[in-house]
Amino acid sequence: MSFSDYYSGVQHIGIPTKDLATAEAFWTKLGFNKTGDFPVGNVIFMKRDNLVIETWQQDEVAGQPGAINHISMDTTDADAAFAAAKAEGFKLIDSEVQHLAFWEKGIKFFNVEGPDAVIVEFCEIVK
């Protein structure tokens, strides 16, 4: 299978913030609801319809247009997607599939670098 066969669309957009409470209030005011809260890492996920924003507290942020950290694509098999991305010569940021204890059973993900240093994450929410 081709690498592009391993993902179905945008899972979330990652945007760092200097103040998590302010970011949460902003997204709430725009009609988003908090769907995930992960104190380890100060990360929250805010959702409205089919759009999910991942935001986390970070000391240094760009603070200007273009400050989005990454766009995450939804995959059901991060390991196979990683192998396909590697075989097709994509510029891998990660040397292997990464794991985090988000959601009930965790996530598996990896990142590729696109033109102009754009980061595209491929993320599997483990079922």
Side-chain angles (χ1 to χ4, degrees), residues 51-73:
L51 177 58
V52 177
I53 302 296
E54 173 193 25
T55 188
W56 63 94
Q57 195 155 325
Q58 182 172 303
D59 291 338
E60 293 185 31
V61 297
Q64 62 186 14
I68 292 173
N69 177 272
H70 66 276
I71 298 171
S72 179
M73 307 303 280

Side-chain angles (χ1 to χ4, degrees), residues 5 27-28 40 66 70-71 81 85 87 101-102 105-106 117-118 120 124:
D5 294 325
W27 293 109
T28 299
V40 174
H70 66 276
I71 298 171
F102 290 176
K105 295 184 180 180
V118 169
V120 182
E124 173 187 353

Side-chain angles (χ1 to χ4, degrees), residues 2-61:
S2 170
F3 178 43
S4 64
D5 294 325
Y6 286 103
Y7 62 90
S8 60
V10 174
Q11 184 184 92
H12 67 265
I13 299 171
I15 307 172
T17 183
K18 283 186 176 183
D19 185 324
L20 199 56
T22 299
E24 181 178 347
F26 172 80
W27 293 109
T28 299
K29 191 172 182 178
L30 284 177
F32 286 70
N33 295 306
K34 184 164 49 173
T35 58
D37 191 343
F38 304 96
V40 174
N42 287 328
V43 177
I44 60 172
F45 287 81
M46 303 293 292
K47 182 175 183 177
R48 177 171 176 154
D49 298 326
N50 64 345
L51 177 58
V52 177
I53 302 296
E54 173 193 25
T55 188
W56 63 94
Q57 195 155 325
Q58 182 172 303
D59 291 338
E60 293 185 31
V61 297

Side-chain angles (χ1 to χ4, degrees), residues 87-117:
E88 292 180 30
F90 282 87
K91 186 175 182 180
L92 297 166
I93 294 171
D94 301 299
S95 60
E96 60 187 20
V97 174
Q98 307 295 301
H99 301 84
L100 283 172
F102 290 176
W103 309 114
E104 188 175 321
K105 295 184 180 180
I107 64 170
K108 295 167 44 171
F109 69 96
F110 66 94
N111 297 282
V112 301
E113 183 178 316
D116 305 308

